[in-house]
Amino acid sequence: MALALPIHNLPMEEPAPSEVFEHDNKTFYNWLLTETERAHIASMLDMETSELKLRGANFLQDRSQCTGCGKHSGMDDFVHNALYAGIHSVEFMKDFLQGKTQQATPYTEHEVVCSRCNTKHEEPKAWLSASEQRTLEQRMQKRQVKEFMGAFGGLVDHCFTSCVDDFTSKALSSRENGCINRCVLKWMATQQRVSDRFQEHNAQLSQQMQN
């Protein structure tokens, strides 16, 4: 980018690891907005942070760290670049982030210039259009509901088979109740451990891809 863009002296904040997932044979990275990013975007667009409902944005590449100052690439850099390079207006960017503006292509790739020190990132980034993001989120939500219902059904079947053996009464015995409680609690603890381990793996994967 030939233009010298203004530099914003932002506090350094380590972003949360991107949420990595596969969809339609593509790998997506959901960049979760940090509070610094959210405040930065809101200030550039002259809006309250509470108005910015965006949780994150899905990209085909993970965040990269600026070689000049160490800031991680973020959605605030894209807003900064678009505004101060004269590519888009404030109103356009507001509409875009709120999903009111449609893109001609589902993936839009741009070079990224760090808004903190004006250093250009080596790798361009491509993000989904707002409409594609909504479609993807809806599909992911449906898949998550389906997966949860499948897991819940499996839990019910497992705990029933393991704990219920007295069919002389409609009510559960105290022993059966205790067994079911332990079964459910152990299942929940296992799910939490798997979730924690998955997040640890995502963080390691993101770090390896940046090195």
Side-chain angles (χ1 to χ4, degrees):
M1 191 174 292
L3 291 175
L5 304 179
I7 294 172
H8 293 174
N9 187 21
L10 302 169
M12 297 293 282
E13 184 178 5
E14 186 73 18
S18 301
E19 295 177 345
V20 184
F21 57 93
E22 301 289 331
H23 180 70
D24 286 346
N25 297 318
K26 291 184 177 65
T27 301
F28 291 94
Y29 301 86
N30 187 15
W31 298 5
L32 303 175
L33 259 66
T34 66
E35 291 308 309
T36 299
E37 276 183 271
R38 191 177 300 278
H40 189 202
I41 293 172
S43 67
M44 289 187 288
L45 298 181
D46 193 25
M47 59 192 298
E48 298 293 329
T49 54
S50 58
E51 297 179 76
L52 192 58
K53 305 298 184 183
L54 194 68
R55 176 175 176 265
N58 294 313
F59 288 78
L60 291 177
Q61 301 84 16
D62 201 1
R63 293 180 189 260
S64 55
Q65 200 164 7
C66 174
T67 57
C69 68
K71 177 187 180 298
H72 287 80
S73 56
M75 198 65 199
D76 59 332
D77 293 320
F78 285 91
V79 174
H80 170 274
N81 294 181
L83 288 179
Y84 295 107
I87 299 171
H88 295 304
S89 67
V90 168
E91 291 306 316
F92 177 91
M93 292 307 302
K94 282 184 178 179
D95 288 344
F96 174 79
L97 294 177
Q98 293 172 353
K100 298 178 182 178
T101 301
Q102 302 298 319
Q103 292 176 191
T105 56
Y107 309 111
T108 304
E109 186 172 275
H110 289 289
E111 294 180 344
V112 188
V113 174
C114 177
S115 56
R116 192 172 187 270
C117 72
N118 219 17
T119 299
K120 179 181 172 182
H121 285 260
E122 295 180 2
E123 181 188 32
K125 308 292 184 184
W127 77 77
L128 287 175
S129 67
S131 59
E132 288 292 325
Q133 293 220 39
R134 286 197 302 272
T135 300
L136 178 60
E137 287 169 2
Q138 289 169 358
R139 290 178 181 174
M140 293 298 294
Q141 287 172 359
K142 288 180 180 178
R143 191 179 77 177
Q144 288 170 354
V145 169
K146 184 178 180 180
E147 290 175 350
F148 173 78
M149 293 305 296
F152 181 75
L155 170 67
V156 171
D157 183 64
H158 173 70
C159 292
F160 179 84
T161 303
S162 301
C163 299
V164 178
D165 54 14
D166 182 3
F167 298 98
T168 60
S169 171
K170 292 188 295 184
L172 293 171
S173 67
S174 58
R175 185 197 63 78
E176 290 171 333
N177 261 318
C179 177
I180 289 172
N181 286 337
R182 289 190 297 273
C183 181
V184 172
L185 288 174
K186 185 167 286 188
W187 181 83
M188 292 174 64
T190 302
Q191 292 293 309
Q192 184 61 52
R193 178 58 189 137
V194 170
S195 176
D196 292 344
R197 187 67 189 93
F198 182 72
Q199 291 180 15
E200 292 168 6
H201 175 72
N202 272 351
Q204 292 171 359
L205 181 62
S206 297
Q207 187 64 40
Q208 289 171 3
M209 296 184 72
Q210 289 178 8
N211 293 336

